[in-house]
């Protein structure tokens, strides 16, 4: 296994050459090599037979690009990051930001216990406060019953941890009570085990409270299952040098790193106070997070729901990350959000590419996966802020977007890059113009 995720020139290689590097990174035996190579080479990576068992009414599968972000160091370990995403610039942005963070030792990430919350809603109560007290008095009995629903997770030292109860005096359906079952899901995302436990508890909750249970379901505001990432980037690593343009700068742009760091902090400041900016700022974070969540077969809607609810936890929707300057001028970034992801169960083990993605990441524990994902989110945020606070993102973005437009206009093989370059040169990236330029290009090729 190679030991550095810093693979220079990776982006210049062909997909097959990149795949060989990734297979070398992971595989030890010839059999493992062959399997991984075959899974990654298979377009879409998911057979129809498997797909037909995953959801209903299947008629086909839908493929998205799987890219690998390089340069990441998380908690002292080099990691390569599989990312599934349709948007250009995201994989390149993450890799570039990881290179910057590497100059300060990479990302440091930690997670809380992998505990989820299951909600049980109780209605038709004369006195919700008194019912809450009765439930709390039977807490141990309820936790014990919840733990009988999944002996496997209990044997792995997970399972029900606690029961919390809240009386809600007023709601559109009158007064009610909500019980929260705190449940450590270990390496699973846990929706199934938590929902099963909540459903099992419902009759006993009704017996104890004398009320009627309605909802019994996991909460996606997984604020007991947080991941935090942090990075410190020396100002000099942020220098923009006109002779060595990095990701997204035009040649000729120069800025000292101290200034770049200040501009990034200013850019963050708007997201700290303004929900209009915070939504976009957090979307940039989720570009990185979702891409890894999807690559590993996890439920990205659950992660999105948790992230945005957490961003609004004090009543105002805010940035999930913070950026500041250290006394010596280094740029310090941090990110905290709920990350309900698993390494067992669901599509993580069923989808062959999701299994391959976990192998590439080298993780088997959900908490290690969450730590890496939080680091990718912070990297993605840094890439966006740095580009926005200096040159702006459109030039770099449009260069990549031009390739998609070229493909949409029918370009094939090396026509794609030639057509994209022609559109970028004349600053017109539209399918109608792409079609005209493609016709011209083909005519030229015919006569030369
Ligand atoms: C685009 O997908 C994401 C950005 O808008 C994020 C941001 O503005 O921070 C570039």
């Amino acid at each position: 296994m190679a030991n550095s995720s810093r693979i220079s020139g990776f982006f210049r290689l062909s997909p097959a050459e990149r795949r060989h590097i990734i297979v070398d990174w992971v595989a030890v035996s010839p059999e493992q090599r062959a399997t991984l190579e075959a899974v990654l080479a298979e377009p879409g990576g998911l057979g129809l037979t498997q797909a037909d068992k995953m959801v209903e009414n299947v008629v086909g599968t839908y493929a998205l690009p799987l890219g690998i972000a390089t340069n990441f160091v998380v908690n002292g370990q080099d990691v390569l990051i599989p990312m599934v995403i349709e948007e250009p610039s995201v994989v390149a942005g993450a890799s570039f930001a990881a290179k910057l963070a590497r100059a300060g030792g990479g990302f440091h990430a930690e997670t809380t216990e992998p505990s989820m919350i299951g909600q049980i809603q109780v209605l038709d109560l004369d006195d919700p406060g008194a019912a809450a007290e009765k439930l709390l008095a039977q807490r141990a009995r309820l936790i014990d019953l919840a733990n009988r629903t999944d002996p496997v997770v209990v044997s792995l030292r997970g399972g029900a941890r606690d029961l919390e109860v809240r009386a809600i005096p007023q709601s559109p359906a009158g007064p009610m009570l909500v019980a929260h079952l705190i449940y450590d899901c270990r390496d699973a995302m846990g929706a199934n085990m938590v929902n099963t436990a909540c459903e099992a508890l419902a009759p006993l909750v009704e017996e104890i409270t004398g009320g009627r249970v309605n909802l019994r379901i996991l909460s996606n505001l997984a604020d007991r299952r947080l991941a935090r990432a942090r990075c410190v980037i020396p100002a000099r690593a942020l220098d923009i040098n006109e002779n060595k343009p990095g990701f997204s700068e035009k040649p000729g742009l120069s800025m000292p790193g101290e200034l770049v760091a200040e501009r990034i902090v200013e850019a963050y400041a708007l997201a700290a106070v303004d929900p209009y900016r915070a939504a976009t700022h957090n979307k940039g974070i989720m570009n990185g997070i979702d891409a890894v969540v999807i690559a590993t077969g996890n439920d990205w809607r659950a992660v999105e729901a948790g992230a945005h609810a957490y961003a609004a936890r004090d009543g105002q929707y805010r940035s999930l990350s913070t950026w500041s300057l250290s006394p010596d001028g280094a740029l310090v970034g941090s990110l905290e959000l709920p990350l309900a992801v698993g390494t067992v169960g669901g599509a993580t083990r069923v989808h062959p590419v999701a299994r391959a993605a976990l192998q590439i990441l080298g993780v088997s524990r959900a908490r290690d996966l969450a730590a890496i994902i939080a680091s990718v989110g912070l990297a993605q945020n840094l890439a966006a802020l740095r580009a926005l606070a200096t040159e702006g993102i459109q030039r770099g973005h449009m260069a990549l977007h031009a390739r998609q437009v070229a493909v949409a206009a029918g370009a094939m093989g090396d026509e794609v890059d030639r057509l994209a370059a022609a559109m970028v040169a004349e600053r017109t990236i539209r399918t109608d113009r792409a079609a005209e330029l493609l016709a011209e290009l083909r005519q030229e090729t015919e006569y030369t």
Side-chain angles (χ1 to χ4, degrees):
M1 194 199 230
N3 55 15
S4 174
S5 62
R6 173 102 190 81
I7 309 172
S8 115
F10 193 65
F11 69 97
R12 284 200 200 91
L13 303 175
S14 69
E17 288 168 325
R18 293 187 199 116
R19 211 161 48 230
H20 293 321
I21 293 179
I22 298 307
V23 169
D24 279 344
W25 172 269
V26 175
V28 283
S29 71
E31 294 77 38
Q32 278 181 310
R33 284 189 67 89
T35 312
L36 191 59
E37 177 80 44
V39 166
L40 295 178
E42 165 86 31
L46 181 68
L48 205 54
T49 319
Q50 268 154 328
D52 195 32
K53 291 197 190 82
M54 287 171 76
V55 302
E56 308 74 33
N57 299 352
V58 166
V59 294
T61 57
Y62 179 118
L64 284 170
L66 165 68
I68 303 287
T70 56
N71 300 326
F72 274 82
V73 175
V74 178
N75 293 339
Q77 289 249 310
D78 277 64
V79 265
L80 289 173
I81 313 289
M83 301 178 83
V84 168
I85 188 145
E86 87 299 342
E87 183 173 331
S89 296
V90 170
V91 179
S95 304
F96 183 75
K99 191 165 123 191
L100 299 179
R102 206 179 172 92
F107 297 93
H108 299 276
E110 55 171 29
T111 58
T112 61
E113 294 288 317
S115 288
M116 299 296 286
I117 296 167
Q119 295 195 295
I120 303 171
Q121 177 197 29
V122 194
L123 298 119
D124 298 348
L125 294 164
D126 296 334
D127 183 348
E133 275 174 33
K134 283 189 205 159
L135 268 187
L136 285 177
Q138 301 280 334
R139 189 178 150 272
R141 190 173 159 210
L142 287 156
I143 290 175
D144 183 53
L145 177 59
N147 275 334
R148 272 187 263 143
T149 59
D150 195 331
V152 176
V153 79
V154 172
S155 74
L156 296 168
R157 294 201 303 276
R161 292 275 187 260
D162 204 356
L163 188 86
E164 294 172 355
V165 187
R166 237 176 333 125
I168 300 175
Q170 272 188 346
S171 84
M176 64 178 85
L177 180 151
V178 60
H180 280 188
L181 179 68
I182 315 297
Y183 195 103
D184 183 328
C185 300
R186 297 283 92 188
D187 291 322
M189 184 274 188
N192 281 332
M193 56 179 81
V194 171
N195 293 340
T196 304
C198 289
E199 290 193 5
L201 290 190
L204 182 56
V205 169
E206 287 185 338
E207 187 190 308
I208 296 169
T209 58
R212 174 177 57 85
V213 167
N214 189 32
L215 294 177
R216 294 141 295 165
I217 185 75
L218 175 94
S219 168
N220 287 121
L221 176 49
D223 59 2
R224 302 298 181 93
R225 196 175 191 173
L226 298 174
R228 303 184 186 100
R230 187 170 186 274
C231 64
V232 179
I233 303 171
R236 72 185 141 67
L238 292 163
D239 281 347
I240 296 180
N241 180 338
E242 62 176 315
N243 300 314
K244 274 174 61 189
F247 171 67
S248 95
E249 289 111 48
K250 60 172 173 267
L253 181 75
S254 274
M255 263 172 97
E258 288 80 5
L259 186 59
V260 175
E262 270 173 38
R263 296 263 168 96
I264 288 174
V265 174
E266 287 170 2
Y268 150 72
L270 183 57
V273 296
D274 173 43
Y276 286 92
R277 173 58 203 156
T280 324
H281 178 102
N282 290 343
K283 190 273 183 182
I285 293 172
M286 300 314 287
N287 275 345
I289 288 184
D290 285 343
V292 189
V293 171
I294 296 171
T296 54
N298 274 289
D299 180 345
W300 72 94
R301 287 87 54 211
V303 171
E304 281 278 341
H308 296 295
Y310 194 65
R313 65 193 177 283
D314 71 2
Q316 186 186 320
Y317 186 90
R318 295 180 193 283
S319 162
L320 287 164
S321 65
T322 67
W323 292 95
S324 60
L325 297 178
S326 73
D328 63 355
L331 178 66
V332 182
S334 72
L335 171 67
E336 179 181 281
L337 79 166
L339 264 178
V341 289
T343 51
V344 297
T348 53
R349 290 291 162 97
V350 174
H351 197 299
V353 179
R355 276 203 312 267
L358 288 173
Q359 276 184 297
I360 294 167
L361 287 163
V363 292
S364 55
R365 292 175 63 223
R367 291 178 70 175
D368 295 335
L369 175 61
I372 293 175
I373 293 177
S375 304
V376 178
L378 189 58
Q380 207 70 58
N381 188 213
L382 172 61
L385 294 185
R386 179 182 171 282
L388 290 167
T390 57
E391 192 203 349
I393 59 162
Q394 264 335 69
R395 202 191 56 82
H397 200 75
M398 290 319 265
L400 284 161
H401 176 58
R403 295 175 65 191
Q404 284 185 348
V405 174
V407 172
M412 287 185 292
D414 68 352
E415 286 174 348
V416 176
D417 283 340
R418 290 169 66 197
L419 183 56
M423 283 189 285
V424 170
E426 61 174 48
R427 293 170 182 271
T428 312
I429 298 159
R430 285 197 326 258
T431 330
D432 57 334
R433 182 63 187 142
E436 287 168 15
L437 285 168
L438 181 62
E440 284 169 25
L441 198 127
R442 284 183 177 165
Q443 222 164 22
E444 273 167 31
T445 318
E446 218 170 281
Y447 293 113
T448 50

